[in-house]
Structures are given as structure tokens and as C-alpha cells.
Amino acid sequence: MSPTAGSERLRAIIIGCGAIAGGYDEADPGSEQVLTHAKAYRRHPGFEIAACVEPDAARRAAFMAHWGIPAGFAALAEVNVPYDVASVCVPTRCHAETLEALLPGPARLVFAEKPLTDDVARSRAVVEAYERAGKPLAVNYLRRWAGGLVHLQGEIARGQWGAFQKASAWYTKGLLNNGSHFLDLLSFLLGGLSPVCALGIVADGRLDDPTRDVVVKTAEGAPIHLLGADMTAFSLFEADLLFSGGRISLTDSAFRIIRRPVTDSPRFAGYRALAEGATKDSGLGYAMLDAVDNIARHLNDGTPLRSTGRTALAAQELCAFLSSLPETHP
């Protein structure tokens, strides 16, 4: 992981100085994992952080001190230093206005947290505007960058696991907020998805973004059941994917992958069963570093982005359609 030969370091600004901007890594400074924008830029030899933007003066000062950032501003309009990449880490309700303000600005690429905005029509308009302007837009559906999940996608694409049959997945904290992560990840692993039906709603108090049980399907018609759970009890993000050649489980928020290929049953002659399987790290703890590396390579040599405004929009449009469906009861 190094800058392209002869290239200068890319200058990044971070807009919003909360948890995903740097707070998760600040809380555990001894960890080797890279969970935030600030730590990813600091670790990557091809980047430097030119400035941050945060209206809370105390938080801004603490963020600058922790990450060694030379300039800080209360608002994006005040930024007076050059930059190549802008990370959008503000609350979702502020995404649209921030993305719109960055469009005519100096950033060569914008790296936005998900979802793009809190309104699908406005997200569509933002994506189309960035495409017209020729300005790349990367969106942090970070599992698309995790090395182990990228490797798994290749295994599935090569037919190593046989035909996909069906899947079940569990999530918490809103269909758009967290469910979209699964819809995007499963689209990455299995190809485009389309809606089937919406089932019940979890009583977790999320009136603005309900946690819904939904069913989607692959292009070949294989069903995927996305099931919501109550976030007030615990957080959950896990899945089981069944193929003709075995079972793949994503556990611990997809930080771990369990592969169980089909084998001969050790007990019953003539039967096939799942092997004990092995658990491997998915690389998700370093996906933010992989993301900024992908961004650097995109700007330096045209390497395609793994997660774009267009792929993020597809996940949000699917969420919006599922949210609009009436509940189907057995």
C-alpha cells in the first residue's frame, strides 16, 4: 500500500468530527484496527489530512489535537485550504446539503457515509448531478472493501459454492440505517436484488426508519429473508447463505466468515452433510484503510471504486420500495 510512483500525497478534509470520523478509534487508541476516516487517512502513505470541519468548537479542537490536523473550521463554507478528497461524516439529515455544497468545490472525489441522504429522490438527484459533473462519489458501505468478503465474492462468482439457494439475515436499527448494509452486501455477493414483500415491523421505537422483516430475491429468483430484531436488546448483523455446495455464515457483524462445504456424512452412509467448517476473519477491521487505498488508486490510476453513489442508490431505492409495501401476513 503506497502512493503511485511520482505522485504527491492526496489532501483530505473531514466534515463532521463524530464517531465514524475518528471517535471509534479514539476510544481504543491501542487497537490495530482501522475503523474511522481519520485513522485510515493517517495510516495510508498516500494521504494527509488538510483540515476538518465541525461546528462544535470543543469537539473540533479535540479532534485536531488527537489526529494532528493543522486547520479546523466551523463550516464548510469557511474552508480556505486546498483539498483533493472530502469525507462526509455529518449526521444523515445533513448529507444532502453537504453533498450539494461539495459538488462545485475543489474536491476531486467525495467519500460519503451512508445512506446518501434521508430522501431517496434527493439521493437520486445527487448521484445524477455528480455523474453529470464527472466527479467520483464513493459511499461507505464498507463491507465492499473488506478483503475476506471481496475474496468470498470471487469464490461465489467462480461457482466454487455451486448454485445459490436461499439466505436468511438478521439486523437491527432500521431498514435504511442498517438493513441497507445487508441489501448492499448481498447485492455485492450475489448480484442485483429485487423486492418480494414486506412482513412485520419490530416495535423498537424507530418511527422514522422502521426495522422491517422483508423478502427480496436474486435475479434467478432465490429468496433472501431479511429479519429485523429489537436494537434495545442487543445489536445484530448476521446471515446464513445456502448454496448447493455448502453453507456460508457471516457472524459478529460480518467480521467473521464461517465456511461449511458439503461432505459425506460421517454417520449415515449415502447422505451428504455440512462439514464442521472453519472461521476466518473477514478483514472488516481494516476495510476503512482498504477504502481509502481504493480511493487513492482510483484518483491516481483509474482503478474502479468498489462502492459508488450508483451502488448506494440501488440499496436505498430497494429500501424505499420495501418500506412502501403493505405488510403481508401469513
Side-chain angles (χ1 to χ4, degrees), residues 108-129:
R108 295 169 57 195
L109 181 148
V110 174
F111 184 22
E113 279 301 310
K114 59 80 199 170
L116 274 167
T117 78
D118 56 6
D119 178 80
V120 68
R122 203 163 180 186
S123 292
R124 192 178 301 115
V126 164
V127 170
E128 292 172 352

Side-chain angles (χ1 to χ4, degrees), residues 50-287:
C52 64
V53 178
E54 170 58 52
D56 185 317
R59 175 57 188 153
R60 182 171 70 248
F63 194 81
M64 292 172 65
H66 186 93
W67 296 108
I69 300 174
F73 304 92
L76 178 59
E78 298 175 8
V79 176
N80 59 10
V81 298
Y83 57 93
D84 302 291
V85 176
S87 275
V88 177
C89 303
V90 296
T92 300
R93 66 180 182 278
C94 303
H95 278 199
E97 62 187 66
T98 305
L99 289 166
E100 290 162 357
L102 286 166
L103 181 58
R108 295 169 57 195
L109 181 148
V110 174
F111 184 22
E113 279 301 310
K114 59 80 199 170
L116 274 167
T117 78
D118 56 6
D119 178 80
V120 68
R122 203 163 180 186
S123 292
R124 192 178 301 115
V126 164
V127 170
E128 292 172 352
Y130 271 74
E131 289 177 344
R132 286 195 300 271
K135 179 169 289 192
L137 177 58
V139 182
N140 193 24
Y141 281 104
L142 77 169
R143 291 169 180 84
R144 283 180 176 259
W145 284 293
L149 293 169
V150 172
H151 186 75
L152 175 61
Q153 191 271 344
E155 292 176 359
I156 294 170
R158 292 191 299 271
Q160 183 173 328
W161 290 92
F164 174 68
Q165 296 179 337
K166 64 171 56 177
S168 62
W170 288 91
Y171 78 104
T172 55
K173 205 176 178 181
L175 182 60
L176 179 60
N177 183 67
N178 271 357
S180 66
H181 265 296
F182 248 133
L183 295 174
D184 180 79
L185 173 59
L186 294 171
S187 294
F188 172 63
L189 294 176
L190 303 169
L193 305 176
S194 58
V196 175
C197 65
L199 305 174
I201 296 178
V202 176
D204 58 3
R206 292 185 59 86
L207 301 180
D208 58 331
D209 178 22
T211 304
R212 306 194 76 175
D213 295 343
V214 299
V215 182
V216 297
K217 64 181 179 180
T218 65
E220 294 75 25
I224 298 168
H225 296 253
L226 184 59
L227 305 173
D230 187 353
M231 66 177 184
T232 63
F234 51 83
S235 295
L236 185 62
F237 191 96
E238 300 195 348
D240 281 308
L241 287 69
L242 299 184
F243 297 82
S244 60
R247 176 180 180 177
I248 297 170
S249 299
L250 307 177
T251 66
D252 188 22
S253 296
F255 275 81
R256 293 181 175 85
I257 305 172
I258 304 172
R259 292 170 169 86
R260 299 183 64 191
V262 171
T263 187
D264 291 330
S265 172
R267 296 184 181 89
F268 305 107
Y271 281 82
R272 302 282 277 165
L274 293 173
E276 186 69 21
T279 301
K280 290 190 176 182
D281 190 292
S282 71
L284 189 54
Y286 302 92

